[in-house]
Amino acid sequence: MNDRVLLRRIAEKNENLIQRPDAFVQDSDIGEVLAVGEGMLIGGVLRPINLQPGDKVRFGHYNAEEIEVEGEKLV
């Protein structure tokens, strides 16, 4: 996985007083870390990723690639 992280989306709680129609609700951009790559090799030095499985992170909507593993959508 090199410099990549595998995430499971976590549903955000919407505590707003105004409810949005489902057509306008986007998928959550918060995820739980499932797996972490070794890191990226920069200038001959391995730079590890400072995350561990179980950590919660926010990720960019347009930077993430969605995949399906055994019927579950992961990022």
Side-chain angles (χ1 to χ4, degrees), residues 18-59:
I18 300 172
Q19 294 296 318
R20 298 176 288 177
D22 289 340
F24 295 105
V25 176
Q26 295 182 346
D27 289 334
S28 170
D29 60 351
I30 298 174
E32 177 183 0
V33 176
L34 300 177
V36 180
E38 294 178 4
M40 181 179 281
L41 195 60
I42 300 175
V45 177
L46 182 64
R47 307 287 181 180
I49 300 173
N50 294 324
L51 292 173
Q52 297 178 355
D55 287 348
K56 308 264 187 306
V57 296
R58 184 174 296 271
F59 59 91

